[in-house]
Amino acid sequence: EAGVAQSPRYKIIEKRQSVAFWCNPISGHATLYWYQQILGQGPKLLIQFQNNGVVDDSQLPKDRFSAERLKGVDSTLKIQPAKLEDSAVYLCASSQRTGPNSEQFFGPGTRLTVL
Amino acid sequence: GESVGLHLPTLSVQEGDNSIINCAYSNSASDYFIWYKQESGKGPQFIIDIRSNMDKRQGQRVTVLLNKTVKHLSLQIAATQPGDSAVYFCAENAGGTSYGKLTFGQGTILTVHP
């Protein structure tokens, strides 16, 4: 079974530029998550989708971050404009369904460096 | 807000020893806990989980202990191997309407010396 795919793996941009990350979850997984992992910290949930609807985006900085999952499969996370403190690894995860019983499978992440 | 934290940021052991990684949590409403392993350049990988109605759960070479009285979680790895070297995170789910939302702790770096 193929895992969660993410691209690009690495991205370097200057502050105030825009950047987008792409995620392809495991086939058949209804729930998709985007996490931000700052160096030395655990992942922090940014947004959670159930199919193409948002379940939780309470920790998403909506003035600069946006995410979509239009067809309920792939998802993109965008930052516009980027700030220095956005430097982090952005992890995508998916699970078969929403709820604590459903194991989350993580992709390898996209490492973003903002200069 | 509520948080999950770790007592020890680093742990260094010899191959074959048993490892114990600790985690303190502060949300008394949390009813589900997971340990993840994260190797360099990879996403977190599920190791073992435990529900709040249990105090111990065993897997292959791993055991998770939950002490709700003092809000403490631990991961025991038996006969630690070099391949166990990674960062280990505990995560909690607060239950209720949290829709499976996980709150992760800071992480402990485990280094296993051959």
Side-chain angles (χ1 to χ4, degrees):
Chain A
E1 176 183 83
V4 176
Q6 291 189 247
S7 68
R9 291 297 312 276
Y10 306 90
K11 190 73 177 179
I12 301 175
I13 62 173
E14 296 190 349
K15 60 183 179 183
R16 291 188 289 274
Q17 286 188 320
S18 302
V19 65
F21 313 126
W22 174 81
C23 172
N24 182 239
I26 293 173
S27 178
H29 280 195
T31 308
L32 185 146
Y33 314 78
W34 282 103
Y35 289 86
Q36 180 192 59
Q37 186 174 24
I38 293 173
L39 185 65
Q41 298 182 17
K44 182 184 80 172
L45 180 68
L46 293 176
I47 188 167
Q48 178 179 341
F49 292 95
Q50 172 74 11
N51 296 311
N52 61 351
V54 176
V55 173
D56 185 339
D57 64 356
S58 58
Q59 299 189 101
L60 186 74
K62 298 179 186 64
D63 58 335
R64 297 184 301 107
F65 286 64
S66 65
E68 61 183 13
R69 194 185 184 200
L70 294 176
K71 296 183 179 180
V73 180
D74 294 5
S75 177
T76 57
L77 176 69
K78 297 179 181 178
I79 307 175
Q80 180 179 13
K83 293 185 175 182
L84 296 176
E85 59 261 35
D86 298 331
S87 293
V89 175
Y90 290 84
L91 295 162
C92 180
S94 69
S95 61
Q96 284 191 322
R97 56 192 178 278
T98 294
N101 291 331
S102 191
E103 181 180 343
Q104 295 183 29
F105 294 84
F106 285 81
T110 296
R111 181 176 296 277
L112 173 67
T113 302
V114 182
L115 303 176
Chain B
E2 301 289 0
S3 64
V4 178
L6 296 173
H7 293 303
L8 299 173
T10 62
L11 178 63
S12 184
V13 301
Q14 291 295 127
E15 181 178 2
D17 287 351
N18 296 332
S19 302
I20 299 176
I21 301 171
N22 296 301
C23 175
Y25 66 95
S26 57
N27 188 350
S28 57
S30 293
D31 60 1
Y32 179 63
F33 304 87
I34 308 171
W35 280 101
Y36 284 92
K37 172 186 180 183
Q38 186 172 26
E39 296 175 281
S40 181
K42 297 182 180 180
Q45 179 184 10
F46 174 94
I47 301 174
I48 192 168
D49 59 358
I50 189 168
R51 298 207 157 278
S52 59
N53 61 354
M54 303 170 69
D55 53 19
K56 180 179 180 179
R57 190 162 188 225
Q58 289 185 295
Q60 187 177 14
R61 285 202 304 119
V62 295
T63 301
V64 55
L65 299 177
L66 175 62
N67 186 331
K68 295 181 290 294
T69 302
V70 296
K71 298 179 186 173
H72 185 266
L73 193 68
S74 69
L75 176 69
Q76 300 178 359
I77 305 174
T80 315
Q81 302 167 1
D84 294 328
S85 294
V87 181
Y88 289 80
F89 294 96
C90 63
E92 64 175 336
N93 174 263
T97 58
S98 65
Y99 304 108
K101 177 180 177 179
L102 296 177
T103 300
F104 284 79
Q106 182 181 16
T108 292
I109 301 172
L110 175 64
T111 303
V112 183
H113 300 283

